[in-house]
Amino acid sequence: MGMQPWKRRIFNNSPMWLRKFLANMEAMKRVKTRRGGDYQTHYEQINIKQILFENHPEKKLNQLNQLLATCRSNIPYYREVLPEESLLNMQEIDQLPLLRKEDLRTNLRKYVNENPRVGFWHGTTGGTAGQLAFVRDQRSLHYEYAVYDKLYAFAADKEKVKKARFSNVPILKSTSHQPPFCMEVSMMKQLQCSIYHLDERTYGDYLQSISEYGADIGTGYAFLWQRLAEEALAHDDQRLKLKAVVSDSEGMTGEQKKMVEKAFDCRVYQTYGTSEVGIAAVQCEQGYYHILDRVHVEVVGEDGKSVPDGSDGEIVVTDLWSMDAPFIRYCPGDRGSFQHGGCSCGWESPYLETLTGRVRDYIVTAQGVKVNHIARVMGGIPGVRAFQYIQDEPGQLHIRVEARADFDPTKMEKAKANAKNMIGEMRITWEVVEEIEKAPSGKIKTTIRNF
Ligand SMILES: [Zn+2]
């Protein structure tokens, strides 16, 4: 969801007041998409404590049957494969076919309603087997953002939450060292913090900006909150207090989480989700990921059927609100194990006990900052069947490319430009290889770090 390159160029070369204006314009567009439709109704109806603390499979079943009925009449593929009758319980979902990235990549039109009732949101997601362009029903986003806002309110223990956010939105040139490194986006009640400038010299500017802004909670990239906490603790700097950090993803170990909680005197809620299906689960104090009501999650074996609680398997997610671009039994490519209830944290909702192979890959910039969402470095380069990053030291990156016939070597210049836009200067080299070695699971290891 980053800015288009041309916008980013204008943005980078503008004075602060203009950047603030442009950022608010961008935000207005996003708010319109996310908080349109039935967002307000959802927001008023959603009881986030009930979703986390209680277990209501009957509500999910109802929503699932509505989803299936809509898909049966509107989606070419599901017209043929879905049964006529409603499902009698959630377990029966395993009679439906799994949906893989490959299916969407090959023939997206088969899987969407040509005349969407509300509208589509267009996204891309990285992956070593190439990018996937997909669409989501905006109805799913409206429900998702209502859940997000309720979750923030729950974490902050108040309505109208002020957030400080680390995400891939440009604040100033990555080569600049002049504070401020944070910018207020009033449209979103948010202080946007640069992910490219945080280090042992600048951490104080960040702590000052965030506490002056009066942020209730922190959101966005987990590893930057962890980095800021590291510096605050190392310098015994206690000026920033937060109610909570609600990260966009998982990836902090128990130790790192404790560090953030100590540094800002707050709770940390990591979340699990993917860009295709959105937020799916919230981490409890025991470290487990409790499933939200907007999705149904299964953990399945080779045969596509649920494995027993506690056993490792592939994670399968159904977005219960994406009616016109359904993700029914979708495989995002993650593994884990499931428990249907009885967590000692007190929340009754079912949860993922483990998320294996899910510590996200990252690369390290010359400034020592870890950056994930790195698949985008290879974004927009045609003819790439697969790729792999090798990093021998911070600030340097070697890319192995498995090429198709239409691969154009001159287009690799774009990788350098992408990297520069996202993370600052990187020394990038690349080579074409016959075949990238696969792990025993059949997957390609995205990043090999030799330091
Ligand atoms: Zn729990």
Side-chain angles (χ1 to χ4, degrees):
M1 257 185 296
M3 265 185 199
Q4 288 132 299
W6 65 269
K7 274 193 197 162
R8 195 174 283 241
R9 247 188 328 272
I10 295 176
F11 186 88
N12 273 337
N13 292 304
S14 305
M16 193 56 173
W17 66 267
L18 185 53
R19 287 206 298 264
K20 223 170 177 172
F21 173 75
L22 291 170
N24 272 287
M25 294 291 286
E26 273 297 300
M28 190 143 57
K29 249 174 51 191
R30 286 184 198 185
V31 168
K32 232 173 124 182
T33 316
R34 293 173 185 181
R35 310 231 163 97
D38 290 331
Y39 166 88
Q40 198 53 41
T41 317
H42 294 322
Y43 185 80
E44 279 153 27
Q45 284 172 357
I46 288 169
N47 181 340
I48 195 78
K49 282 189 180 165
Q50 196 177 59
I51 291 171
L52 293 170
F53 296 6
E54 300 171 17
N55 188 13
H56 292 283
E58 71 287 351
K59 281 190 187 163
K60 274 195 183 176
L61 181 62
N62 192 12
Q63 186 65 30
L64 175 65
N65 277 324
Q66 277 184 43
L67 169 77
L68 297 180
T70 320
C71 293
R72 200 159 39 227
S73 31
N74 297 333
I75 312 289
Y77 172 70
Y78 287 110
R79 214 171 276 150
E80 313 209 334
V81 302
L82 287 184
E84 292 286 332
E85 316 77 37
S86 296
L87 302 186
L88 299 174
N89 56 57
M90 291 309 281
Q91 286 72 46
E92 286 186 2
I93 197 174
D94 73 4
Q95 299 162 7
L96 311 180
L98 295 173
L99 178 66
R100 298 198 174 273
K101 289 188 181 175
E102 204 43 47
D103 300 325
L104 299 180
R105 198 177 278 127
T106 330
N107 191 356
L108 186 62
R109 289 184 62 182
K110 222 169 80 180
Y111 296 93
V112 298
N113 181 359
E114 270 187 21
N115 304 300
R117 237 190 72 197
V118 177
F120 288 139
W121 180 86
H122 295 259
T124 54
T125 179
T128 43
Q131 281 208 327
L132 169 69
F134 62 91
V135 292
R136 280 178 68 184
D137 189 327
Q138 285 192 9
R139 280 177 287 192
S140 170
L141 271 92
H142 297 150
Y143 195 83
E144 181 184 9
Y145 279 96
V147 169
Y148 254 120
D149 287 340
K150 282 290 185 181
L151 182 63
Y152 292 154
F154 165 71
D157 198 22
K158 65 184 272 202
E159 300 279 314
K160 297 200 170 37
V161 183
K162 287 176 99 173
K163 298 154 293 212
R165 180 171 182 81
F166 279 109
S167 65
N168 186 26
V169 169
I171 308 296
L172 65 168
K173 269 188 205 171
S174 52
T175 47
S176 164
H177 297 290
Q178 279 306 309
F181 305 114
C182 306
M183 179 173 67
E184 188 179 342
V185 184
S186 42
M187 280 299 305
M188 296 179 122
K189 281 187 88 63
Q190 192 160 291
L191 185 75
Q192 191 69 46
C193 306
S194 169
I195 61 173
Y196 309 124
H197 299 83
L198 178 60
D199 59 29
E200 69 282 356
R201 289 161 302 173
T202 59
Y203 78 93
D205 294 303
Y206 280 84
L207 294 174
Q208 191 60 28
S209 299
I210 298 169
S211 58
E212 265 173 21
Y213 175 67
D216 301 300
I217 63 168
T219 69
Y221 294 179
F223 68 98
L224 280 148
W225 285 107
Q226 176 203 321
R227 183 86 181 80
L228 188 59
E230 229 169 60
E231 294 297 341
L233 290 176
H235 297 90
D236 195 25
D237 190 326
Q238 298 170 14
R239 79 185 103 168
L240 178 60
K241 300 266 179 275
L242 295 169
K243 281 281 182 52
V245 168
V246 184
S247 68
D248 275 3
S249 59
E250 76 295 347
M252 270 188 228
T253 63
E255 282 300 298
Q256 293 165 333
K257 197 173 129 183
K258 276 195 201 121
M259 201 166 75
V260 177
E261 295 184 329
K262 188 172 167 212
F264 309 129
D265 193 21
C266 69
R267 275 283 306 267
V268 169
Y269 300 91
Q270 301 194 78
T271 62
Y272 165 68
T274 74
S275 44
E276 304 95 298
V277 295
I279 184 174
V282 180
Q283 193 184 36
C284 71
E285 61 186 31
Q286 296 296 321
Y288 304 132
Y289 288 88
H290 287 258
I291 311 298
L292 291 166
D293 70 330
R294 55 175 300 276
V295 291
H296 178 63
V297 174
E298 307 160 77
V299 172
V300 305
E302 294 283 315
D303 59 356
K305 306 281 180 197
S306 282
V307 295
D309 277 9
S311 309
D312 177 73
E314 185 169 13
I315 295 176
V316 170
V317 186
T318 299
D319 179 341
L320 297 172
W321 288 88
S322 199
M323 313 266 178
D324 284 330
F327 289 87
I328 298 171
R329 304 199 80 214
Y330 180 67
C331 309
D334 299 322
R335 298 186 70 82
S337 65
F338 204 80
Q339 289 290 349
H340 276 87
C343 185
S344 53
C345 73
W347 298 359
E348 296 283 329
S349 47
Y351 58 93
L352 287 164
E353 191 174 29
T354 53
L355 275 167
T356 44
R358 183 70 201 179
V359 178
R360 267 183 212 265
D361 280 305
Y362 61 88
I363 50 182
V364 184
T365 69
Q367 289 79 35
V369 179
K370 295 171 188 170
V371 181
N372 49 17
H373 300 286
I374 47 179
R376 269 188 266 164
V377 170
M378 290 294 284
I381 300 171
V384 176
R385 182 176 297 124
F387 63 87
Q388 182 174 53
Y389 298 131
I390 322 282
Q391 223 187 352
D392 292 317
E393 58 181 13
Q396 165 275 339
L397 188 67
H398 183 71
I399 308 170
R400 286 182 183 146
V401 178
E402 203 179 297
R404 286 196 305 252
D406 58 335
F407 176 70
D408 176 356
T410 61
K411 292 275 171 18
M412 282 300 285
E413 281 302 311
K414 195 166 187 318
K416 289 181 192 171
N418 286 345
K420 198 173 163 187
N421 269 325
M422 287 168 47
I423 51 186
E425 294 286 352
M426 293 284 286
R427 281 179 289 117
I428 294 182
T429 51
W430 59 275
E431 65 179 322
V432 171
V433 295
E434 198 98 324
E435 196 188 348
I436 293 170
E437 205 184 314
K438 305 216 174 29
S441 67
K443 276 190 167 186
I444 290 169
K445 197 165 164 27
T446 323
T447 313
I448 298 174
R449 200 170 17 262
N450 297 319
F451 58 92

